Amino acid sequence: MPLIARLILGVVGVLAVAVLLAARLLTSGIGASYVQIEREAAEHETERLVNALEIEARSLGQLLLGWAHWSELYGYVAAPSAAFRAENLQPTVLVPSDLAWVLVIGPDGHVIDAIAAPATKGAAPDLSPLKSPSSPLLRTLTGPIAADASQCGVARLGAENFLTCRMAIRDTAVSQPPRGVVVIARRFDATLIQRVKAESHIDFTLAPPSGPAVSPDITGSPITSPVFGRASPVIRSTPNTLEVRHAVSDLGGGVFGELVMSLPREISALGRSSLAHVGLKLLAVAALFAVALVFVLDRVLVYRLRKLSGEIDRIWQQKDWTLRVTESRSDEIGHLAAHTNALLAVIGEQLRDLELRATTDSLTGLANRRAFDERLALALRRQQRTGAGLGLVMLDLDSFKSFNDRYGHAAGDHALQKVGEVMRGAAARATDLCARLGGEEFAILLEDADSAVVMNVAKHVRFTIESMNIPHKNSQHGRLTISIGVALHEYGEDGESFYMRADAALYRAKEGGRNRIELAREGLPVVIESPGNTSRI
């Protein structure tokens, strides 16, 4: 055989081994990384689903506070009256809050009142089993509970499923010992499931508990939920989908059902497609450039694949989805890297969505205290660089505690939402931040704004809320009003001093008669506007 033939055969043999090694690297390295990321993503989706359902439970828990911390209900438990029952404990009261039923339980565990609202298309649930002392669900609902704690979970009553929350009944000021328990329930039905699907963008079903099954491909890390108990997601693989089942416990700790998701294996399909393309191109390169293939294979292909696999592994280990693989050449491996970066971007976006939920007030949709503090620090650094104006408007609803006491927490929540809408309308620039700091206290941070802009915003908010004419019989003004403190940032002033000046101005507005605006100037608050009195800046 000629030498050239032997050289060709030798090179082809070496290339064949090299191709086999490269294929092995692709399968065990990148392929395994894709599978791992896919399973991690499945666990993450399960956690997101549980969190989305917990948000529903927290929403119900927020509604429960209005029932549990209600002085009139506290007195009713001690001395039930037909007048209170006729006004407050009727099915029509439950419909606006989307409640299915409410139980009022006395300190002795006896059901004082059980109110049920009919479904949109159906009858009201039958609560008679809950009036029997032998009812397992009643025993669970009357079990021990801390004075200021709430307990939420799922329960089955008859043929229907419910999301329930219970809490000890206290007076509005929470100054008296607990007296009995109030339980509220919302249907865990197709409407609730569809709402969670729309908000979380996760397709799932609630299935009955499954019996013994074939061993799963993998059992994920345990997920602990105060509402749905502790369980590990069970993941089963098929060629095109991952089936995820996550057990849900009821209020008594028993198995209630399973959350079932069927996730398309897009990541694996992308990995298989990319691996197939790279393999074909590798064979073409081996045929065309036989002599130089060993060097090329090491420097141009295997090295880059090893680096890409290592970067994917490092990103997975650090769980930092803002990192990206650095491969950027315009070839198959570059396309594989681009697909990988696109996947990481999707994961990062999902995590940013969760972060956004953590910085948003659930009642008003405004930024919460955490987001306000972060934005204030950023605005101060930006102001130091640019010297642009920076204003802070602090708002507080006047006599809001007595408003809640008289009209109920549902009306109070509605009033807070209205204030949030007015704030967003008054401060609508991209650089403006409207935040709820806690309770009835709000703030507007205005960047790149002079004193005229800041005061116009404050005046607009005060006048608009006063003009709503929301009745408030316990207020000296006869309607719901706000007091406002305004501060303009002074050169070299830190965030704490800036905030305290605005807060002090707000305090002076309160002390000065409420429903007024005061501006903190040269360290002292100065009145700017109140009904019948407007001072020029």
Side-chain angles (χ1 to χ4, degrees):
M1 181 181 294
L3 178 60
I4 186 63
R6 290 199 299 268
L7 289 175
I8 292 175
L9 289 176
V11 171
V12 169
V14 171
L15 293 176
V17 174
V19 170
L20 290 175
L21 291 176
R24 177 74 174 178
L25 176 63
L26 288 169
T27 304
S28 64
I30 299 176
S33 297
Y34 270 109
V35 171
Q36 185 62 45
I37 291 176
E38 187 175 63
R39 289 176 174 175
E40 289 284 336
E43 291 189 52
H44 176 67
E45 284 295 284
T46 306
E47 291 180 359
R48 281 210 318 121
L49 175 57
V50 172
N51 289 338
L53 290 170
E54 285 183 346
I55 289 173
E56 286 290 330
R58 285 196 292 271
S59 172
L60 188 62
Q62 289 292 325
L63 184 63
L64 176 63
L65 286 174
W67 287 83
H69 293 175
W70 186 7
S71 294
E72 287 79 0
L73 182 61
Y74 185 81
Y76 173 78
V77 173
S81 68
F84 180 88
R85 182 183 296 109
E87 181 179 357
N88 300 284
L89 300 179
Q90 297 297 321
T92 54
V93 177
L94 310 186
V95 174
S97 301
D98 193 24
L99 294 179
W101 48 269
V102 173
L103 289 184
V104 180
I105 303 172
D108 60 353
H110 173 70
V111 176
I112 298 176
D113 267 303
I115 313 100
T120 304
K121 296 181 179 179
D126 180 13
L127 302 183
S128 58
L130 294 178
K131 298 178 181 180
S132 172
S134 62
S135 168
L137 179 55
L138 179 61
R139 288 198 297 269
T140 299
L141 296 177
T142 56
I145 186 170
D148 294 318
S150 63
Q151 180 190 15
C152 295
V154 289
R156 183 172 291 108
L157 184 61
E160 292 187 274
N161 299 324
F162 297 92
L163 182 62
T164 65
C165 289
R166 68 186 187 114
M167 192 173 189
I169 301 173
R170 305 288 297 272
D171 61 303
T172 304
V174 195
S175 60
Q176 301 297 322
R179 181 184 292 162
V181 175
V182 62
V183 184
I184 65 175
R186 180 172 290 161
R187 287 179 175 84
F188 199 138
D189 56 7
T191 301
L192 185 145
I193 290 175
Q194 190 60 39
R195 181 167 63 245
V196 174
K197 286 182 180 180
E199 293 173 352
S200 65
H201 304 289
I202 299 175
D203 190 15
F204 73 99
T205 59
L206 176 64
S210 60
V214 180
S215 298
D217 291 353
I218 187 172
T219 300
S221 301
I223 299 174
T224 301
S225 167
V227 180
F228 305 104
R230 177 183 174 89
S232 297
V234 174
I235 304 172
R236 297 184 180 90
S237 301
T238 66
N240 298 317
T241 61
L242 288 178
E243 183 190 70
V244 183
R245 287 181 171 267
H246 184 73
V248 175
S249 299
D250 60 18
L251 275 171
V255 177
F256 177 79
E258 291 182 338
L259 302 174
V260 182
M261 295 183 293
S262 182
L263 305 177
R265 301 194 66 178
E266 298 174 346
I267 301 173
S268 292
L270 178 63
R272 289 193 298 270
S273 175
S274 299
L275 290 174
H277 283 294
V278 172
L280 290 174
K281 296 298 181 180
L282 182 60
L283 291 175
V285 171
L288 294 174
F289 303 101
V291 175
L293 190 55
V294 173
F295 175 79
V296 172
L297 189 63
D298 180 64
R299 301 305 302 171
V300 179
L301 185 60
V302 176
Y303 170 78
R304 292 167 61 199
L305 290 175
R306 188 184 301 114
K307 179 183 177 183
L308 178 60
S309 178
E311 289 177 342
I312 294 175
D313 286 338
R314 185 171 66 256
I315 292 172
W316 169 66
Q317 291 170 359
Q318 296 179 3
K319 301 296 188 295
D320 184 356
W321 308 113
T322 62
L323 298 177
R324 296 290 183 268
V325 295
T326 58
E327 177 59 48
S328 59
R329 301 185 193 180
S330 298
D331 57 12
E332 289 70 25
I333 301 177
H335 293 320
L336 177 63
H339 292 321
T340 300
N341 285 335
L343 171 65
L344 293 172
V346 171
I347 295 174
E349 182 65 26
Q350 292 175 343
L351 292 176
R352 283 191 293 274
D353 180 64
L354 291 177
E355 185 67 22
L356 176 63
R357 295 174 185 270
T359 57
T360 303
D361 177 63
S362 61
L363 178 63
T364 63
L366 303 179
N368 61 15
R369 183 56 183 260
R370 172 185 172 185
F372 172 79
D373 290 340
E374 293 174 352
R375 182 67 173 274
L376 177 58
L378 179 62
L380 289 173
R381 291 195 296 269
R382 188 180 293 125
Q383 195 275 340
Q384 290 174 357
R385 292 196 306 270
T386 65
L390 180 62
L392 178 58
V393 180
M394 301 281 291
L395 309 89
D396 192 275
L397 275 70
D398 297 327
S399 306
F400 189 66
K401 180 181 179 301
S402 62
F403 182 88
N404 271 341
D405 290 343
R406 184 179 184 95
Y407 300 100
H409 285 274
D413 289 349
H414 181 71
L416 294 174
Q417 290 170 339
K418 285 295 184 182
V419 172
E421 293 174 3
V422 172
M423 291 169 62
R424 277 193 293 265
R429 300 181 306 166
T431 56
D432 299 337
L433 178 72
C434 300
R436 181 187 178 193
L437 304 183
E440 65 270 24
E441 187 175 11
F442 297 80
I444 304 176
L445 186 63
L446 300 166
E447 295 187 56
D448 194 18
D450 57 20
S451 60
V453 171
V454 176
M455 288 307 305
N456 283 338
V457 169
K459 291 177 180 180
H460 177 79
V461 173
R462 189 202 68 80
F463 176 77
T464 303
I465 292 174
E466 183 183 38
S467 301
M468 288 181 179
N469 290 319
I470 299 175
H472 189 355
K473 300 301 183 180
N474 292 349
S475 169
Q476 65 194 70
H477 303 288
R479 54 187 168 182
L480 189 67
T481 59
I482 61 169
S483 297
I484 298 178
V486 178
L488 303 175
H489 185 262
E490 299 178 354
Y491 179 78
E493 185 179 33
D494 61 21
E496 181 178 2
S497 174
F498 184 37
Y499 179 91
M500 292 302 295
R501 287 198 303 114
D503 192 61
L506 173 60
Y507 179 79
R508 288 288 296 272
K510 288 284 191 182
E511 291 294 310
R514 298 184 173 88
N515 192 22
R516 58 198 285 124
I517 303 172
E518 293 205 15
L519 170 69
R521 173 182 287 175
E522 297 178 355
L524 295 173
V526 179
V527 66
I528 296 301
E529 182 182 273
S530 61
N533 176 27
T534 300
S535 301
R536 295 187 178 271
I537 302 177

